[in-house]
Amino acid sequence: MTNNEIVMQGSPSLENGFYINTSGESAHEKNYALKTAGFWVRFWAFLLDGFIISAVGGILVNPIFYLMDWSLSDSVWYAPISIISAIFYYSYFVLMTKFFGQTLGKMVFGLRVISLKHDQLTRSDVLLRDWIGRIFNNIFMPLYILVVI
């Protein structure tokens, strides 16, 4: 893997130069202690992201289906609601990680995805991590129960 999620100790504010960096120093040179995030903090961030995706998807997508009199109860993978929900789900993670380096759930818990090889996340890093990786994550979700136990 070419990137890691980190936990920042300290306050990542604009005054500290974390988001706007005019002095040329990276976040590693500031007064932040970077360390790899653990399972539980990632879990809670992912759970919060799931609630956000469900809420926004319900607010934006469901009214369109009601107006067009399309079925919201089809449970097959190729149903229109399933396809639109999947596009919204993967787009949220890919776009938020690419443009902000973190999703809203990660922002709340102070997590950030950084590249170990580059200054910024590359398009291939983000697509591999948040698109292909999430597909495998959804296929092998029962294995995560073993991690919890």
Side-chain angles (χ1 to χ4, degrees), residues 12-51:
S13 64
L14 293 174
E15 298 85 37
N16 291 338
F18 189 77
Y19 295 112
I20 300 173
N21 198 350
T22 58
S23 65
E25 297 175 343
S26 69
H28 299 282
E29 297 168 344
K30 292 290 183 181
N31 57 357
Y32 299 107
L34 302 179
K35 63 180 184 176
T36 304
F39 173 80
W40 287 107
V41 70
R42 292 177 195 227
F43 171 78
W44 292 116
F46 178 73
L47 194 64
L48 181 60
D49 284 329
F51 288 138

